Amino acid sequence: MSVCCVGRARLRVQLSLLYNPPFAGKVKIMLKQLSRLERTRSILIVGFAIIMVVSLVFFYAPGSTSVNADPTKNPTVLAKVGRDSVTVADLATLREGYRQQFGDQISLAQLGGNKRFLEGLIRDRVVAQEAARLGFAASKEEIAERIRKQFTDASGQFIGLERYKERVMASYGDIEKFERSMADFIAQEKLRAFVTSSVNVSDQEVEEAFKREKTTFDVSYVVVETEKLTAKMQTSEEEQKSYFEERKTDYRILEAQRKVRYIFIDQEKAGSKIAISDADLRNAFEGLAPEHKRAGVRVQQILLKVAHKDLDAQVEQKAKDLITKLRGTTGKSTAEAFAEVARGNSEDPATAKNGGVLPLPVKLNPNKPHGLYDRAVDMTPGDVSDVPIRYDGHWYILRRGDEVAKTFEQAKPELLVSARNNRGYSAAANLADRAAARLKEVKDAQKVAQEFAAEANMSTGEMVRETSFVKSGDDVPNIGNNQEFFQTIEALNNPGDVGDKTGVRNGFAIPILVEKREPRIPEYDEVRTKVAEALKKQKATEQLESKAKEIAANAASAGDLKAAGERAGLEVATEAAYKLGSPLGTAGTSPALDDAVYALQSGEVTKAPIKIGDAWVVLGVTKRNNADLAEYASQRDELSQSLVRERQNQVFDDYISATQSRMKRDGKITIYKDVLDKMEEDEPAAAPRFPTR
């Protein structure tokens, strides 16, 4: 995917976080956490709002529509919303934006998968069309004014028409579509303002919100959940057999099972004995593509520290003045000129004495996106950042220098690993071919392993392994759910049949069939462990609520809760200065929990357990620390604005949901389920990760 597609995907992710109900919960949690940061709250919320506003501008940025194996270029229509279409490319691009933005922090499954992403895209189209229906179109003058405000130089002036066009074309590829997306954004702003214009909150509501936010609780609590009770459940052999007899068909094995013994050839061990000379490595180095011979780019910096938040604007202005001086009329600076300014102004002693030069070349790290110095890599040699960069509470100015070539000695460790992997693979594959041929001759895995152990650099015990009875889809120890392995052993039908070598985790396997079992209802002894666990879980689930009620009944006060929980065999946890809305241990949080806790005074315990998800919680307050109303006056306006924004979001969400329901009733929204199902089927091959640089 191109760089501009990456940018669009990230920005559309931010748009979804702001406007789409499927993800609104996570945004609310984020804002709630931000609201608890006393000294930095305002700055962070404003910064978050700015990011969201910028993201909206680029929502309808142009995308490729060519048919390609890459789903982000697939024009197949997933849904029709009035006059608009939502394509596979739209969904795939948004989904990849989440992967790029969040990495492993939030899984796509947690976000609801393709269906949830499609719901968000449909809602975006509904918002745009409703704004147009009510006449909230943006005028040419409004679009021009917004562009002039957004594209400014260090002095706050519009950068000029030509530079504006260059920036838009470089990042978004199409000026007309970019300006249309700007118009859509302005229209959405107008619709939002219209729908939420009458929203307000009373002084009483603001004061109550302050009390709930600032009151803290020292709590003791017991979480009663299935897993904890299951571990303590006891079941007899008779109960298990009876449970099995009633549910035999639930344990039916629908495919043939096979037990195999296999010879394993470890790729790393087979390759570790191979000698690789410096001459070989130098030849490999000479053959590298130019981009792989780059160590990175030289970067210079000027760091201006913000000693106190009140000085932030002053420090930022100093940074802007230095940028104006360094960039001159060309936007560039020589290394010597930048070094002179860095020595006199930078507050990083480690780099200032060297003219601001970072000790190592900078290279993009795909595992740590959005790093401070990443933006310098995309600049051209001599460029100075056009605006001060806010990072970790301070201000930075960066200059991009020349590329730094990677020396042979720097590349040698990577080349050695690559050479060993390549040669180790070849050696292991060749050895596995010969071991397979020999195993087909003698039908004795132990004997073949003894013959090849020295060459494989392994012991016989390491080479000969055996599975239990397995079928396709099972997780086989040391192999995993390897479809190639299952395809190989499924061709084996008679004891002694030998399969070809198969690539498995860390090497190759050559299987020989020990025994085959046809599809059947298993005997109790075969599934004894599964039956026992299922029965324990069922009994635990049935007793979950009654156990929680028993604990609550035995705890007349918060002080009694520890003894009541321990009598039930469950752990009693404590938490100091607990705030409403915070996760309570592993149980999480819920509005019901917040209301129950807020109603308790010191020493009191919940009279009934509280259900959170699949678990029940019994909680006591050992100490209640009421909000200090002396602070209320200074925070009232800010909190009032926050509550208004929250209520506006809810009102707007409700309005758009009602509009979307009306459009569905009128047949203006159509989802092509067959296309969505096909995306699900193709999921392993779809959604390629963005290429790294």
Side-chain angles (χ1 to χ4, degrees), residues 19-82:
Y19 276 112
N20 292 349
F23 312 114
K26 297 184 184 296
V27 176
K28 289 177 181 177
I29 291 172
M30 187 189 307
L31 290 173
K32 191 170 286 186
Q33 291 171 339
L34 290 175
S35 71
R36 295 187 179 121
L37 301 176
E38 294 297 336
R39 300 183 62 185
T40 60
R41 176 174 60 194
S42 298
I43 295 172
L44 287 172
I45 289 179
V46 170
F48 179 76
I50 291 170
I51 291 173
M52 296 299 100
V53 167
V54 172
S55 73
L56 285 167
V57 174
F58 304 123
F59 171 59
Y60 287 111
S64 172
T65 59
S66 62
V67 178
N68 192 287
D70 181 355
T72 60
K73 298 178 181 178
N74 188 334
T76 305
V77 176
L78 263 174
K80 292 284 290 182
V81 184

Side-chain angles (χ1 to χ4, degrees), residues 416-436:
L416 185 59
V417 170
S418 177
R420 286 207 183 282
N421 284 341
N422 292 336
R423 297 191 186 187
Y425 178 88
S426 298
N430 178 269
L431 187 59
D433 282 332
R434 291 189 287 119

Side-chain angles (χ1 to χ4, degrees), residues 7-139:
R8 289 199 303 273
R10 287 178 179 171
L11 290 166
R12 293 177 75 175
V13 166
Q14 293 167 343
L15 174 73
S16 294
L17 285 173
L18 180 63
Y19 276 112
N20 292 349
F23 312 114
K26 297 184 184 296
V27 176
K28 289 177 181 177
I29 291 172
M30 187 189 307
L31 290 173
K32 191 170 286 186
Q33 291 171 339
L34 290 175
S35 71
R36 295 187 179 121
L37 301 176
E38 294 297 336
R39 300 183 62 185
T40 60
R41 176 174 60 194
S42 298
I43 295 172
L44 287 172
I45 289 179
V46 170
F48 179 76
I50 291 170
I51 291 173
M52 296 299 100
V53 167
V54 172
S55 73
L56 285 167
V57 174
F58 304 123
F59 171 59
Y60 287 111
S64 172
T65 59
S66 62
V67 178
N68 192 287
D70 181 355
T72 60
K73 298 178 181 178
N74 188 334
T76 305
V77 176
L78 263 174
K80 292 284 290 182
V81 184
R83 63 183 179 275
D84 294 332
S85 296
V86 178
T87 67
V88 171
D90 294 329
L91 190 150
T93 300
L94 181 61
R95 183 180 59 195
E96 288 310 307
Y98 269 93
R99 284 196 175 102
Q100 186 76 356
Q101 187 94 341
F102 296 111
D104 296 329
Q105 298 172 39
I106 302 177
S107 72
L108 296 181
Q110 286 176 307
L111 293 170
N114 288 334
K115 183 177 179 182
R116 187 62 64 86
F117 281 104
L118 179 58
E119 290 172 359
L121 287 168
I122 289 172
R123 185 177 186 278
D124 292 332
R125 304 299 197 271
V126 170
V127 171
Q129 291 184 25
E130 181 67 2
R133 185 184 72 83
L134 294 176
F136 293 122
S139 67

Side-chain angles (χ1 to χ4, degrees), residues 11 23 34 61 125 130 169-170 179 233 319 332 336 354-355 362 403 518 542 563:
L11 290 166
F23 312 114
L34 290 175
R125 304 299 197 271
E130 181 67 2
M169 289 300 296
E179 292 184 354
M233 286 294 162
K332 296 181 180 292
E336 294 75 16
N354 295 323
V362 173
E403 285 188 350
E518 297 298 337
E542 292 170 351

Side-chain angles (χ1 to χ4, degrees), residues 227-242:
E227 289 73 14
K228 291 181 179 179
L229 285 191
T230 298
K232 299 179 181 302
M233 286 294 162
Q234 299 295 323
T235 58
S236 67
E237 189 81 3
E238 291 72 22
E239 287 178 308
Q240 290 171 196
K241 286 182 177 179
S242 175

Side-chain angles (χ1 to χ4, degrees), residues 111-246:
L111 293 170
N114 288 334
K115 183 177 179 182
R116 187 62 64 86
F117 281 104
L118 179 58
E119 290 172 359
L121 287 168
I122 289 172
R123 185 177 186 278
D124 292 332
R125 304 299 197 271
V126 170
V127 171
Q129 291 184 25
E130 181 67 2
R133 185 184 72 83
L134 294 176
F136 293 122
S139 67
K140 292 182 179 179
E141 291 75 16
E142 288 173 318
I143 297 170
E145 179 63 21
R146 188 65 60 92
I147 288 171
R148 282 194 294 269
K149 286 183 178 179
Q150 183 174 326
F151 292 87
T152 59
D153 57 21
S155 66
Q157 299 300 309
F158 178 54
I159 60 176
L161 188 59
E162 292 306 314
R163 283 190 67 193
Y164 157 70
K165 289 181 178 180
E166 288 174 5
R167 284 196 185 180
V168 172
M169 289 300 296
S171 299
Y172 308 103
D174 189 303
I175 293 173
E176 182 181 349
K177 289 184 179 179
F178 169 75
E179 292 184 354
R180 190 160 62 245
S181 72
M182 179 77 77
D184 287 341
F185 169 59
I186 294 171
Q188 290 182 43
E189 281 187 326
K190 291 180 178 180
L191 174 63
R192 192 179 186 87
F194 170 74
V195 171
T196 63
S197 59
S198 62
V199 171
N200 57 59
V201 293
S202 67
D203 289 344
Q204 183 179 352
E205 289 174 302
V206 177
E207 183 174 338
E208 182 63 16
F210 175 83
K211 291 177 181 177
R212 289 177 70 93
E213 180 182 336
K214 298 300 182 182
T215 299
T216 63
F217 307 83
D218 294 348
V219 299
S220 296
Y221 63 94
V222 180
V223 179
V224 187
E225 52 191 350
T226 303
E227 289 73 14
K228 291 181 179 179
L229 285 191
T230 298
K232 299 179 181 302
M233 286 294 162
Q234 299 295 323
T235 58
S236 67
E237 189 81 3
E238 291 72 22
E239 287 178 308
Q240 290 171 196
K241 286 182 177 179
S242 175
Y243 182 88
F244 173 72
E245 289 298 326
E246 293 172 2

Side-chain angles (χ1 to χ4, degrees), residues 500-513:
D500 294 327
K501 76 173 185 199
T502 303
V504 295
R505 190 181 298 162
N506 302 321
F508 295 91
I510 306 104
I512 180 170
L513 183 64

